[in-house]
Each structure stands twice: as structure tokens, then as C-alpha cells.
Amino acid sequence: MTPDGDRRRHHCLVTGATGYIGGRLVPELLDAGHRVRCLARSPGKLRDHPWTGSVEVVRGDVTDAASVRAAMEGIDTAYYLVHALGTGSGFEHTDRAAAGTFGEQARAAGVRRIVYLGGLTPAGVPASRLSPHLRSRAEVGEVLLASGVPTAVLRAAVIIGSGSASFEILRYLTERLPVMVTPSWVRTRIQPIAVRDVLRYLVGSADLPEEVNRTFDIGGPDVVTYLEMMRRYAAVAGLPHRLILPVPVLTPRLSGYWIGLVTPVPHAIARPLAESLRHEVVCREHDIARHVPDPPGSPVGFDTALSLALERVRDAQVATHWSSASVPGAPSDPLPTDPDWAGGSLYTDRREQSVDAPPEVLWRVIEGIGGRNGWYSFPLAWAARGRLDRLIGGVGLRRGRRDAERLRVGDSLDFWRVEEIEPGRLLRLRAEMRLPGLAWLEMYAERDGAGRSRYRQRALFHPRGLLGHLYWWSVSPFHALVFGGMARNIARTAAARAGVTRPAGP
């Protein structure tokens, strides 16, 4: 605070702005009057956020000292909201090294404070018995606390908010399984917290006194078991009573697969979360309230947090989603805009269709593809491909859409990722399903020489090894049915919306 009682305006660096918490924190910091700089590996993913024009976006990676050093210049408060969860067996080493680099560069740049959102750890449990996920979160906090820069480590358990991985797991398990045989960890006590309280503590931590260098447990007012959480979710959502039968034979590993099959959360994320749920995570103090006082009605209770999350989902107002962050190992390079001879083979399936509808109507159909609207061709084939992807550890089709009508760069769209949008003209999707290669799907809304609309579609596949080539040739006989049907039905749908009963010829 300044001497006159006003809040100090900080220059804040936010890492993880493409993720669930980071994407929600940025507008909260702006609303509090702070200046914000975002460090992102792929700045283009932030391009379509409504707040992008109000922040500075720089390219970089927390594992790269040079880019972190440049991003830290002139920064007062640095938010560390990244982790390597789901990237493989070496994620603990990656997290440790990245946190060390971040702390070193913050100290060298004269940063006044680091704020880190970690995981709540159980009392009295040695690090060797923690899940790798919780152990790594705790270690990152220790590294930052020892960096020489005053650090606030906020430790939260399950975060309840529309779009969070924890909320999605809870929602899908409860809604899809009226009778459940569940792991024994459903009886473990947890202290969940509403996402709005997490954001309030994160913003408020920028004003902590300089001498504060410690961890803070943050949680809501309710201590519940996961079983209670599912039953209370059913009550708040107006669902019939759920029959839940805990059994001891489902190990954390099997639990991860079980969650991955029932929910849209991939196994790479579901497994470490399931492993963490075997530990009781309850706050041991609420000291954060001394520095960030709780306003009336806060912390938000569990049932209220559920109601708020469900309201946001029903109104399609999910600002960020757990799937906003890229799936580890998803394809990135080369780009389909590279020349045909670059990077080896590039298989292409092209379709075109004249459309008796204005380009803007055609574009609305294109932008609305996926999720509940489907893919306009052979639903059984798309569903089968999604199930196969889930069985082999991929994301499947169940991620859906963040928004029912609008897309932005970086959004997940079933088992695709929005890689590029030229509003009114181009939508490019990059595949994140398990494939022996890299794949894209491009859809164009154009105007032909006769003044009519033309829909142009291009599917591209960059094979990896012999298996990739075999994959393409094994599925190519079905392209006329899948991709050809998609082009025809998109044209037909656009024509129908424009009030034309007959689609134009091919």
C-alpha cells in the first residue's frame, strides 16, 4: 500500500497465460490497475483474448534463461503459473530446472516479488510418499522460496470453477455415471476452493510486505470427501441420487485410466491428479487473510462454487479451460503453409463446394463446427475415431468447445486445436489425437468469380516413418465419405440457413 492508502500499481509478469488460471488472472490484474506482460512460448495463442490489446506479450520459455531475463526487465511482481505435468517421466527435473532459472533471473532483474500457485500437501507425509505431481509442486515452491526474491507460495487443493480439470473430472463422473464403482480415495478428505478466491489471493499477493517469504494454505470453508463432492454436485445440478460404491482394488494408476475413459481429461493429466487424491489435503492455517482480507461472502462455499461454475457452463461463458494449454507431445511443426517439398511427404485431401449462401453465413457454419454441432459427416466414424483415441491415451472427442459460437487461436476443439483464424475466411485446426504423424484440417469461406460463395477444404497429413505412410493409405478410402460428406453438408447447412432449399452443385 502507498502512504495515502491506495493500492500500489505493479508491473506484473504472468507466465502460463495460455492456461486455465493464467488466462483468468490477467484480466483481474488489469482490473486492479496493474500493467501486465505475458511470457508465452506461442504468443499467437493469446491473440484473440479480449484483453490482448491491453497487455504486452513476449515470446519465451521458462526453461530458457535468456528469454526469461528479457521478460523480467522492469517487472515488480512475477507470477509463476506453469508446470510440466503430463510431459513424461522427466517432468520433475524439468519443473525443478525451470523454477531455478525463473528465480535466478528474477533476482538478477531486481524483481520485488514472486507469486506461485502450488498444490496443498498433506500434513506429516514425507516427500518420498507423495505423488510425483504433489512432490514436484512442493519442490518448485521450495526452489522459488530459496531464490533470494521474496516469494509467496499459495497452496491449493481442488479448484472449483468452470473449465478447471478438477471440476471437469467431478462433473463428468457425476453426470455420466449414476452408479459408480469408485477407488477408495473417494473417502479422502479435501478442502476445495472456488476459482474466484484463488484469483483474489493471487492478485492480492502482489501487495504483500517485502519481508513475507513463505507458503500460504488457501481453501474454501468446507472440508469434504470426494464422495461428498459428487453427491453434492448431483444435488446442485438437479440430478438423481448417485449410488457410489468405493472398492480398494482400483490403484491410482487404474484410477487414472478410469478417469481418462469417462471424462475428457487425458490420461497424462488424469493419472497424476488421481495419484494426488489418495492424500488428505486440508489447510493447516489461513494466514493469507492477514494480508488479503476476506470480503463478505468469502471464501466461497463449495455448493456456491458449484452453482457459479454450472451457471458459467450453461451460459457458455467459460473464459479459460483446462484444455487451453497444449496437450504434451502434440504436433507443431512443420506448418501446412510450408512448400510441398519441405519436411518430407505431405499428403493432401482437397474438397471444394459452391454454396448458395453469403460468405458470412458460410463462415458462421465453419466457425460453429465441432462440439455439440458435430462434424457434418458420418457421426459414427467420428465417434469411433474419438473412442479409439481415448483407448490409446489420446484426448478423444469429449473436450468439446470452449464457446458454442466463437473460436479463438489456441482453443481446443474436440481432438483438434485452433491454430489459425482469419475471421470470415480461414479456420485451421491442428490434430491432437494420437497419430503416426502430424495432421491439419483447413476450412475456407471464399467468394468465387460469379459472386457466389465457395467452400474450400484441405486435410493435410505429414507422416512419421513407414507407419505414418501406411496409416494414410489405410484411411484414404474413407476420405470421400468423411471429408467429402463434410464439404457437402457444410454447404447444405449454410444454404439452409440462408433460406435456400437446394445446395449448389459441386
Side-chain angles (χ1 to χ4, degrees):
M1 293 283 198
T2 58
D4 60 3
D6 291 333
R7 245 179 224 285
R8 186 173 182 271
R9 303 300 184 241
H10 298 270
H11 192 185
C12 301
L13 175 68
V14 177
T15 62
T18 59
Y20 176 69
I21 292 294
R24 292 189 175 214
L25 175 62
V26 170
E28 295 291 328
L29 290 171
L30 292 172
D31 287 346
H34 302 306
R35 295 166 56 203
V36 177
R37 177 185 296 158
C38 298
L39 176 68
R41 286 181 297 177
S42 303
K45 291 182 179 180
L46 299 176
R47 188 187 68 195
D48 295 329
H49 285 267
W51 41 259
T52 301
S54 302
V55 304
E56 179 187 1
V57 180
V58 297
R59 184 185 300 275
D61 191 300
V62 291
T63 61
D64 175 46
S67 64
V68 175
R69 184 182 309 119
M72 290 284 188
E73 291 183 9
I75 292 297
D76 302 309
T77 304
Y79 286 90
Y80 193 77
L81 304 174
V82 295
H83 57 81
L85 174 65
T87 58
S89 58
F91 80 91
E92 290 184 81
H93 172 75
T94 302
D95 275 340
R96 186 186 315 116
T101 297
F102 194 82
E104 290 169 5
Q105 298 307 319
R107 184 179 67 251
V111 171
R112 298 167 62 92
R113 174 157 302 282
I114 293 174
V115 182
Y116 168 58
L117 178 62
L120 189 58
T121 55
V125 178
S128 59
R129 291 180 53 199
L130 294 176
S131 69
H133 170 227
L134 280 183
R135 185 169 60 240
S136 180
R137 289 294 186 92
E139 186 177 25
V140 167
E142 292 169 0
V143 170
L144 295 174
L145 286 167
S147 67
V149 178
T151 297
V153 176
L154 307 185
R155 307 193 303 179
V158 170
I159 296 176
I160 302 299
S162 54
S164 79
S166 301
F167 175 76
E168 290 297 329
I169 290 173
L170 175 65
R171 181 163 72 96
Y172 276 86
L173 289 180
T174 309
E175 290 185 353
R176 293 189 169 183
L177 299 176
V179 178
M180 283 180 269
V181 176
T182 60
S184 57
W185 51 249
V186 296
R187 298 193 185 278
T188 302
R189 296 200 315 155
I190 306 166
Q191 191 165 352
I193 182 171
V195 66
R196 62 173 53 191
D197 282 324
V198 173
L199 296 172
R200 181 169 56 82
Y201 292 136
L202 285 169
V203 174
S205 293
D207 286 309
L208 290 173
E210 291 185 6
E211 66 273 13
V212 173
N213 185 64
R214 55 163 292 184
T215 64
F216 293 97
D217 293 353
I218 59 173
D222 301 295
V223 176
V224 294
T225 65
Y226 209 88
L227 185 147
E228 290 177 78
M229 289 170 63
M230 289 189 283
R231 287 178 173 162
R232 287 168 71 168
Y233 178 96
V236 172
L239 301 172
H241 178 75
R242 269 32 192 167
L243 180 59
I244 303 171
L245 306 172
V247 295
V249 295
L250 285 176
T251 64
R253 179 185 295 269
L254 290 176
S255 298
Y257 282 111
W258 173 65
I259 292 172
L261 286 173
V262 177
T263 79
V265 180
H267 173 66
I269 296 175
R271 179 184 170 186
L273 291 179
E275 289 177 337
S276 301
L277 288 171
R278 61 193 166 114
H279 301 295
E280 178 175 292
V281 279
V282 176
C283 295
R284 298 184 287 278
E285 42 83 10
H286 188 52
D287 295 347
I288 189 68
R290 300 176 187 171
H291 307 287
V292 186
D294 294 321
S298 290
V300 175
F302 177 69
D303 290 348
T304 301
L306 284 179
S307 297
L308 292 168
L310 287 170
E311 180 181 341
R312 301 290 287 184
V313 170
R314 282 191 293 265
D315 293 343
Q317 295 177 337
V318 181
T320 58
H321 195 273
W322 65 268
S323 58
S324 298
S326 295
V327 173
S332 55
D333 292 322
L335 289 174
T337 47
D338 289 345
D340 290 343
W341 45 262
S345 302
L346 186 65
Y347 292 114
T348 306
D349 180 277
R350 293 183 173 88
R351 308 281 166 173
E352 290 191 10
Q353 196 83 18
S354 294
V355 185
D356 285 334
E360 58 270 20
V361 175
L362 173 59
W363 174 252
R364 286 198 294 271
V365 176
I366 293 173
E367 193 177 12
I369 200 166
R372 294 183 179 179
N373 296 327
W375 291 88
Y376 294 99
S377 72
F378 203 3
L380 184 61
W382 285 93
R385 185 64 182 86
R387 290 192 184 95
L388 175 62
D389 195 54
R390 299 291 292 180
L391 286 173
I392 60 177
V395 296
L397 282 173
R398 287 198 289 259
R399 291 191 304 185
R401 298 172 55 106
R402 176 192 57 84
D403 186 283
E405 296 180 357
R406 297 287 180 262
L407 293 173
R408 65 191 184 200
V409 171
D411 275 0
S412 62
L413 182 59
D414 293 326
F415 47 39
W416 304 88
R417 176 78 57 182
V418 179
E419 186 172 83
E420 184 58 71
I421 297 178
E422 295 179 20
R425 179 179 177 270
L426 164 67
L427 173 63
R428 179 185 298 133
L429 307 176
R430 173 169 47 86
E432 290 191 340
M433 72 280 278
R434 297 281 185 172
L435 289 171
L438 313 176
W440 296 265
L441 178 62
E442 294 180 337
M443 291 166 275
Y444 294 83
E446 299 175 336
R447 191 178 294 277
D448 63 20
R452 296 192 306 175
S453 297
R454 175 164 291 277
Y455 172 71
R456 187 159 59 87
Q457 177 180 294
R458 189 167 72 140
L460 305 105
F461 183 68
H462 187 285
R464 183 182 297 115
L466 178 60
L467 183 60
H469 292 275
L470 292 175
Y471 171 82
W472 174 264
W473 291 113
S474 68
V475 299
S476 58
F478 303 100
H479 285 175
L481 182 63
V482 176
F483 292 130
M486 177 187 294
R488 290 190 297 273
N489 289 328
I490 285 176
R492 184 178 294 117
T493 301
R497 291 188 183 181
V500 179
T501 58
R502 175 188 58 81

